[in-house]
Amino acid sequence: MRRAAPALLALVPALALASPQEAAPLQELPADAPAAPTVTVRGDMRLMGGVDTGFEPAREDGLGEHVVDGWGRVSLATDVKLSRALRLVVEGRALWRGGAQKGFEREKSSFEPFLGEAFLDVYTRWVDVRVGQQTLAFGANPFFAPTDVLNPRELRQSFVQLEPEDLKLPVFAARALATVGPLSVTGVWVPFFFADRYDVFGQDTALLQPPLGVPVPVSVDASVEDGLQPRLLETQRPGLPGDVGLRVTGAVGGVKLGGSWVWANEKQPQVTLDPELETLLRARERGEPVDAALLLSLQDRLSAGESLVTGRYGRQHVVAAEASTLVGPAQLDVDVGFSPSRTFYGDRLRPLRKPAVSWVVGASQAEESDLVYSVTYTGLAVPGVGAQEVLFLLEPGTARGRERTAFFHLLVADVGYSLLEGRLQVGLRGAFEPIQRSFLVAPRVGWRVSERVHVGLAAEVYGGPSFSAFGYFNRNDQVLASVRLVL
C-alpha cells in the first residue's frame, strides 16, 4: 500500500486527505459541569487488510511492494472531570501492522504501544491552561493550514483510509487560551522534540521507491528492519527552546479572522551525504569501477572519525492569516502563509532551503445532512529555484534549465452519502495534481452493523508519471476491507 512520500516536507500538508467531518475533539468542560468528579471511558479498535490488484515479484533489497497488508489500531481513553476547574485525560494507543511480498516472502509484523492524549486542564476566570500530551490546532483549515506544524505526523499508513484524527500525533506541550476583549489568544510551547513517524524502506509507505534508483541504506533481515527506521536518517536531534506558537482570532460581521506565527523544528531530518561518499555510491549504482584514491580517502576520513552523513532538523518561521465563515449550509475556510526558509528536496533527495508561500481554500458541509462533503484547493509557490534544481515530486524534470518560481497545485475532494437511515454509507475521496496530471481515487462503502460495529470495503488507485506526487506510487493499487469496533 504505497501512499505519499513520508520524508518529503513539501508534500505532507498537500497529500493528507482531510475527512469531510472534522476529527471529534475531546469535549471541553461545560460551564454547568458537576462539582463532584465524573469519569468517562471511551475507545475504539480498527482492523484493516489490503490486497494489491497486481502482484509484483518479490525482491530481496527491501524495495519490493507488499502484495498483502494488514494493520490494527486500538485506543482507550479515560476522561476525568475532577471539578469545574480541573479535568484529566489519559489515553493509551497501540498500533499493529504486518505485510508480505508475493509468495509471502519477507513477511513481517510489529506491535507498538504508545501514549495518546494525556493532559491536565485548569480553567480559571482569565485563562484556560492545558499541560501534557495534546493535539494542537492552528489555522482555519483543520489539516492544511500553513502554521499547523506543531504536531508530528503519522506517515506510515494510508492517508486515504486513516481517520483524520490519526494523522496528527499528540505532542507534550503547554497551551494557554485567553480572551482579551473581542479577541481569543492562544499561546503554545512545545519544549521537547518529537519527529514524524515514517519509513525509509521495507514498507509500502516508505520514502525509497524503485523509480528513485537509490538502494536501501542498510542490509538486515526483514524481521528487524522496521525497528531501525526511527533513527536511520538522523544524526542529531534538537533541544531547547523547542517550538513556540501564537494565534489570535476574532469575529467581524460573521467572519472569523485571525493570524498566527510559529517558530518550530521541522519534523523530518535534512540528510546530507559527503560529496566523496555520494560519488562512490553513484559509481556503484552504475556498475562503474571505483577510483582507488577515492576509496583510500574515504577510509582515511572514516578512521579519523569524520562524519560522512548528517541528518539534522532545520527550523522555520511561519506566519499566516486565516478567515472562515458560513455561507448557507457550507463553511468556507481560507489560509495564507509564508515561511522565509523551509526544507524541500531536489534530485536524489538532496535538501534545499527555500522560501515558500502557501495558500488553502476549502469548503465543507456545516449542517447535519445525509450528504457530507469537503473540497480543498491548496497551492504552493517556491521562489528562487535554481536552473539545475528540480523540486522532487512537486515539479516535472522538464522544469530544469532556468531559474524560476516553482508552483504546486492540488485539489482534494471527499464526498459521502448515507442511505437506509444511516446504515449504509457510500463515498469517494480523490486528489488531482494538474501540473503533472497525477491523481488518486479512493471509492468506499460502509455498513453499520450496529451502533458499535462498522464494516467497510474500499479501493485505492494511483496514476501519473513516476516522479509526480501520486504517480510515484502508481504500482500500489489495492482493495481493502475494514472493521471498526466502538468500545
Side-chain angles (χ1 to χ4, degrees):
M1 296 188 284
R2 296 294 198 280
R3 314 294 174 229
L8 301 179
L9 287 175
L11 290 181
V12 168
L15 302 185
L17 302 182
S19 166
Q21 294 178 328
E22 292 188 19
L26 296 173
Q27 290 184 345
E28 296 293 344
L29 192 65
D32 59 349
T38 61
V39 179
T40 303
V41 178
R42 61 184 176 276
D44 69 8
M45 178 175 65
R46 280 163 284 169
L47 303 173
M48 181 173 289
V51 178
D52 281 19
T53 58
F55 286 7
E56 180 182 277
R59 299 169 57 130
E60 292 299 326
D61 61 0
L63 294 181
E65 67 172 339
H66 287 171
V67 298
V68 292
D69 273 287
W71 62 262
R73 297 181 65 92
V74 177
S75 171
L76 184 63
T78 301
D79 188 345
V80 183
K81 297 176 175 65
L82 299 168
S83 68
R84 291 188 177 91
L86 294 174
R87 175 187 177 211
L88 177 66
V89 171
V90 178
E91 179 193 23
R93 300 181 184 179
L95 169 67
W96 167 85
R97 59 178 180 161
Q101 297 184 26
K102 184 178 180 180
F104 288 92
E105 298 290 333
R106 293 181 66 89
E107 74 280 1
K108 57 184 175 179
S109 63
S110 61
F111 177 75
E112 178 184 342
F114 56 97
L115 185 65
E117 293 202 313
F119 56 79
L120 176 67
D121 280 348
V122 180
Y123 304 97
T124 72
R125 181 182 303 176
W126 303 277
V127 63
D128 296 336
V129 177
R130 174 173 294 180
V131 178
Q133 290 275 109
Q134 56 188 285
T135 302
L136 304 163
F138 271 45
N141 192 284
F143 295 99
F144 293 80
T147 50
D148 194 20
V149 296
L150 294 172
N151 286 93
R153 261 55 174 182
E154 171 61 76
L155 304 175
R156 300 174 299 176
Q157 298 175 60
S158 168
F159 294 143
V160 178
Q161 303 304 332
L162 273 183
E163 296 296 330
E165 62 266 28
D166 295 323
L167 179 63
K168 293 170 66 173
L169 296 170
V171 65
F172 186 89
R175 188 202 70 179
L177 175 62
T179 300
V180 181
L183 302 178
S184 177
V185 181
T186 302
V188 174
W189 178 40
V190 184
F192 309 116
F193 177 76
F194 296 84
D196 287 341
R197 295 177 182 174
Y198 60 91
D199 292 308
V200 181
F201 71 99
Q203 289 282 355
D204 285 347
T205 51
L207 164 65
L208 297 184
Q209 302 284 340
L212 190 60
V214 176
V216 298
V218 295
S219 179
V220 296
D221 187 80
S223 62
V224 299
E225 63 189 15
D226 287 349
L228 301 175
Q229 305 288 348
R231 300 289 188 270
L232 190 60
L233 297 183
E234 61 183 24
T235 58
Q236 181 181 347
R237 284 199 161 193
L240 293 174
D243 301 346
V244 293
L246 180 66
R247 182 188 184 199
V248 180
T249 60
V252 178
V255 179
K256 183 180 178 180
L257 301 174
S260 55
W261 162 80
V262 297
W263 182 46
N265 295 295
E266 295 175 339
K267 303 302 184 284
Q268 296 169 10
Q270 304 169 5
V271 181
T272 303
L273 299 181
D274 179 86
E276 288 190 344
L277 177 60
E278 187 171 11
T279 299
L280 171 64
L281 294 176
R282 281 194 169 188
R284 291 185 61 183
E285 290 171 23
R286 294 192 296 260
E288 300 174 352
V290 179
D291 185 5
L294 177 62
L295 286 174
L296 181 60
S297 174
L298 287 172
Q299 182 178 353
D300 291 342
R301 294 173 62 195
L302 284 172
S303 300
E306 288 191 37
S307 177
L308 303 181
V309 179
T310 60
R312 300 188 177 94
Y313 296 85
R315 290 187 70 90
Q316 62 171 327
H317 289 277
V318 186
V319 294
E322 63 182 86
S324 62
T325 188
L326 293 175
V327 179
Q331 176 171 317
L332 300 182
D333 300 316
V334 178
D335 291 274
V336 180
F338 171 72
S339 176
S341 183
R342 172 179 166 183
T343 301
F344 294 90
Y345 294 86
D347 290 359
R348 303 176 65 83
L349 302 185
R350 295 185 184 91
L352 304 171
R353 296 289 289 182
K354 303 289 184 182
V357 178
S358 57
W359 54 92
V360 183
V361 180
S364 59
Q365 177 72 22
E367 295 181 354
E368 185 175 351
S369 170
D370 290 334
L371 175 66
V372 181
Y373 65 88
S374 70
V375 179
T376 302
Y377 159 63
T378 180
L380 179 70
V382 185
V385 179
Q388 299 306 313
E389 297 174 341
V390 175
L391 300 186
F392 182 53
L393 299 190
L394 297 184
E395 55 179 352
T398 53
R400 192 194 310 270
R402 58 183 178 83
E403 294 186 2
R404 63 197 178 279
T405 295
F407 288 93
F408 179 80
H409 306 279
L410 184 68
L411 182 66
V412 177
D414 191 345
V415 60
Y417 193 79
S418 297
L419 305 107
L420 303 178
E421 297 182 345
R423 297 184 68 86
L424 176 65
Q425 299 89 34
V426 295
L428 179 69
R429 289 178 178 176
F432 177 65
E433 176 267 306
I435 293 180
Q436 298 192 70
R437 297 186 177 89
S438 67
F439 64 88
L440 165 62
V441 178
R444 66 186 185 274
V445 60
W447 179 259
R448 190 186 69 200
V449 179
S450 68
E451 290 299 323
R452 296 183 180 275
V453 180
H454 304 256
V455 297
L457 188 67
E460 294 181 356
V461 179
Y462 298 81
S466 295
F467 289 98
S468 62
F470 300 108
Y472 193 55
F473 308 92
N474 64 10
R475 64 182 185 141
N476 302 296
D477 302 343
Q478 65 173 331
V479 178
L480 307 102
S482 65
V483 177
R484 181 171 187 175
L485 306 176
V486 180
L487 306 179

